[in-house]
Amino acid sequence: MAGGFGAGGAASERAEFYQGRITGYFILACIVGSLGGSLFGYDLGVSSGVTSMDDFLKKFFPKVYDRKQAHLHETDYCKYDNQMLTLFTSSLYFAGLISTFGASLVTRNYGRRISIMVGSVSFFLGGAVNAGAMNIAMLIIGRILLGVGIGFGNQAVPLYLSEIAPYKIRGAVNQLFQLTTCLGILIADIINYFTDKIHPWGWRLSLGLAMVPATMIFIGGLFLPETPNSLVEQGRLEEARRILEKVRGTHKVDAEFEDLKDASEAARAVKNPFRNLLAPRNRPQLVIGALGIPAFQQLSGMNSILFYSPVIFQSLGFGSGAALYSSIITGSMLVVGALVSMSVVDRLGRRFLFMEAGIQMISSMVVVAVTLALKFGSGETLSKGVAVLLVIAICLFVVAYGWSWGPLGWLVPSELFPLEARSAGQSVVVCVNLFFTAAIAQCFLAALCHLRYGVFILFAGLIVIMSIFIFLLLPETKQVPIEEISQLFEKHWYWKNIISKDSSRVSHQNPSTTKQISADA
């Protein structure tokens, strides 16, 4: 199988001596740390529902409300095509992609825990501003504050979970981020369903309740341990070993601690971590982890469905209540997918889930596109049978995404980078992810209006490209210690040629020159 090989041969002998068990302290750290995903998930869910509520539209987007009423009993691709309405959604993600570079400095110099707490404070303030918004300007300001919170949280949480976890279950632990994201979406969908019945201020309650997960994360962060990797990176070796022993439940952590110190020495030699990402030895991580996977995660079309599922269902002729109810169904499928992924990712591996889900997602998008092409667009309300078929196809798409590109889109990048490039790499991951999130959010309703059913064919074609990318370029990383994953690329059919060129260049330098190259790379 192209690009794949067993993990066992890549691990060094030292990894065989890693010891530890699942402790209560480790479980607490995972639960509190993973709650950062609930911020991202709640916003995805709540913004999609609020933008379909009549009271919200009448106050801030009266033209959209009038158009919606004019087509209330008709199907219409262009019913919600309004750039200011989509800016309400996408402004958060533009703020997030900018703030993640500031988050990188905080994460690298002060730790993952501090970044998580800073993100929760900003998210709390954004929820408060949006709940009290009196005009579009206040809405956008609130969204920007929410975006800063997500920029910090998405930068730090995947790193935190990957670093705190024992390598044999790192995949399942990291996917707690996706699970809490999915639960946040589902909870927001349920809240939207009930607040839609509270007139005229139900939308304020939906937006304001974002303060609840933010408060929980801040309070939990006060008791959250910093990761041993981060403490070693900061030079706090005694504290790092003490935390490592407490998290692993044993004093026999010499092998793992030596790996952390070796990685830290390499990290301290790098003066410019962002420039270091461009070095040939980090080219696989840059192309796969920082650019390819986060971009493709959004180009799958999933977040468009999450953002606008109530809007899509209303555009397809569903009533307001039925649209929100259908969103609850898709949100539930996302949670199911996350649970499935957590249970099998460390046994079946990352590549298998990517490839299987790719086939399922392509098939679902084709079914949606063909159904719409044959049965939709003539101004008539969809029949019950056709509507059910569309919901089933979308649910199959969502559940496949839920066990593949959703969780793996955060897991794989967070485990690929060596320590010296990890914080900078994760910042690029979040930046690319949020850029494409914002771009898709801003363009989707216009694309739905102009391409009609063709937009789903477009997403199917992109998923074909994504699947080929994974098949050819991503090695299997299951059960490989995080500080040893870079060794996988040295044996990969394609990447080994690029890495060997860099190694050859460095090997011809004298020791003092080699040290300088490492520092300046």
Side-chain angles (χ1 to χ4, degrees):
M1 186 161 54
F5 45 84
S12 72
E13 294 181 0
R14 186 183 288 167
E16 298 176 5
F17 298 100
Y18 283 19
Q19 296 189 39
R21 57 184 175 84
I22 303 300
T23 63
Y25 194 61
F26 166 72
I27 293 173
L28 174 65
C30 289
I31 292 173
V32 175
S34 64
L35 283 175
S38 65
L39 301 182
F40 192 29
Y42 187 85
D43 181 79
L44 282 173
V46 79
S47 59
S48 68
V50 164
T51 52
S52 70
M53 293 182 183
D54 288 347
D55 292 323
F56 178 81
L57 294 175
K58 281 190 287 187
K59 183 170 182 62
F60 297 106
F61 305 99
K63 292 182 179 179
V64 177
Y65 174 76
D66 292 340
R67 188 190 307 159
K68 174 184 173 182
Q69 295 304 115
H71 297 272
L72 186 61
H73 300 294
E74 299 177 6
T75 55
D76 182 2
Y77 283 110
C78 301
K79 194 182 296 184
Y80 288 87
D81 181 20
N82 182 280
Q83 288 301 298
M84 188 58 68
L85 178 61
T86 52
L87 181 62
F88 164 74
T89 299
S90 60
S91 58
L92 178 147
Y93 304 101
F94 286 121
L97 70 88
I98 294 172
S99 68
T100 188
F101 291 103
S104 173
L105 297 176
V106 175
T107 301
R108 179 180 172 92
N109 296 322
Y110 301 101
R112 287 57 166 150
R113 170 177 167 269
I114 296 300
S115 274
I116 293 173
M117 295 179 69
V118 170
S120 67
V121 171
S122 183
F123 200 86
F124 180 94
L125 296 174
V129 172
N130 269 353
M134 300 304 297
N135 50 53
I136 292 178
M138 286 187 69
L139 278 180
I140 300 301
I141 291 172
R143 298 291 290 175
I144 290 172
L145 289 170
L146 291 170
V148 172
I150 286 178
F152 272 79
N154 287 12
Q155 206 276 344
V157 171
L159 287 185
Y160 184 91
L161 294 174
S162 287
E163 291 180 347
I164 205 77
Y167 73 89
K168 289 186 177 180
I169 59 170
R170 185 179 61 248
V173 170
N174 184 277
Q175 289 188 11
L176 287 170
F177 176 75
Q178 179 68 11
L179 178 61
T180 55
T181 299
C182 297
L183 288 172
I185 292 170
L186 179 58
I187 290 170
D189 287 337
I190 295 172
I191 289 173
N192 285 335
Y193 180 76
F194 289 103
T195 57
D196 186 45
K197 306 176 188 300
I198 304 174
H199 303 288
W201 52 270
W203 61 269
R204 293 189 185 275
L205 184 59
S206 288
L207 295 176
L209 285 174
M211 295 184 288
V212 174
T215 301
M216 293 171 59
I217 293 167
F218 181 83
I219 294 174
L222 298 174
F223 305 96
L224 195 68
E226 186 53 83
T227 68
N229 310 61
S230 179
L231 293 171
V232 170
E233 190 176 17
Q234 298 172 50
R236 298 154 62 181
L237 298 181
E238 292 184 6
E239 185 180 356
R241 183 175 182 109
R242 177 173 56 81
I243 293 296
L244 184 61
E245 291 176 352
K246 194 170 183 180
V247 170
R248 298 290 182 255
T250 179
H251 294 294
K252 299 178 181 180
V253 296
D254 291 340
E256 187 171 1
F257 192 62
E258 287 302 313
D259 273 350
L260 295 184
K261 289 196 296 183
D262 288 348
S264 178
E265 290 178 8
R268 280 197 294 270
V270 176
K271 304 304 180 185
N272 191 323
F274 284 99
R275 188 189 305 168
N276 183 56
L277 289 174
L278 301 177
R281 63 182 174 277
N282 291 324
R283 192 68 48 78
Q285 293 91 330
L286 177 67
V287 173
I288 300 173
L291 301 177
I293 288 179
F296 285 140
Q297 187 189 50
Q298 303 311 316
L299 292 173
S300 68
M302 180 61 221
N303 272 1
S304 297
I305 292 175
L306 290 180
F307 291 150
Y308 300 117
S309 54
V311 170
I312 290 172
F313 287 126
Q314 282 195 19
S315 294
L316 301 183
F318 291 65
S320 177
L324 291 172
Y325 184 72
S326 298
S327 297
I328 295 174
I329 295 175
T330 56
S332 301
M333 290 297 99
L334 205 55
V335 173
V336 170
L339 292 172
V340 170
S341 189
M342 288 180 64
S343 65
V344 302
V345 67
D346 289 313
R347 289 190 293 109
L348 300 180
R350 286 65 160 153
R351 284 168 52 86
F352 174 84
L353 291 177
F354 272 129
M355 301 310 300
E356 185 283 330
I359 295 172
Q360 186 169 326
M361 292 165 69
I362 293 166
S363 302
S364 299
M365 285 291 96
V366 171
V367 169
V368 171
V370 171
T371 302
L372 294 181
L374 297 176
K375 301 292 185 179
F376 181 71
S378 60
E380 300 178 1
T381 302
L382 292 173
S383 68
K384 182 178 179 180
V386 172
V388 169
L389 176 62
L390 286 174
V391 171
I392 291 174
I394 288 175
C395 284
L396 288 174
F397 176 90
V398 170
V399 77
Y401 177 92
W403 64 53
S404 61
W405 284 93
L408 300 182
W410 296 106
L411 165 62
V412 174
S414 72
E415 63 186 6
L416 289 185
F417 294 99
L419 182 61
E420 67 268 19
R422 192 167 297 153
S423 179
Q426 187 66 14
S427 286
V428 178
V429 170
V430 175
C431 178
V432 172
N433 183 288
L434 293 181
F435 173 80
F436 280 93
T437 303
I440 294 294
Q442 191 67 29
C443 299
F444 176 73
L445 289 180
L448 181 64
C449 177
H450 295 288
L451 296 179
R452 301 163 70 84
Y453 61 85
V455 72
F456 298 100
I457 293 293
L458 173 62
F459 285 135
L462 289 170
I463 297 169
V464 171
I465 297 172
M466 292 156 49
S467 301
I468 294 173
F469 176 87
I470 292 296
F471 182 76
L472 294 177
L473 299 181
L474 178 69
E476 182 54 67
T477 59
K478 68 175 181 180
Q479 299 191 5
V480 180
I482 192 169
E483 303 303 348
E484 298 174 1
I485 284 179
S486 59
Q487 298 176 27
L488 297 175
F489 298 108
E490 297 173 3
K491 299 181 180 180
H492 188 273
W493 70 274
Y494 175 74
W495 296 119
K496 66 181 180 182
N497 299 318
I498 295 175
I499 294 174
S500 64
K501 293 178 183 178
D502 192 45
S503 301
S504 299
R505 180 180 64 85
V506 174
S507 65
H508 284 85
Q509 310 297 323
N510 61 48
S512 60
T513 305
T514 300
K515 184 176 181 181
Q516 185 63 40
I517 289 174
S518 298
D520 293 339

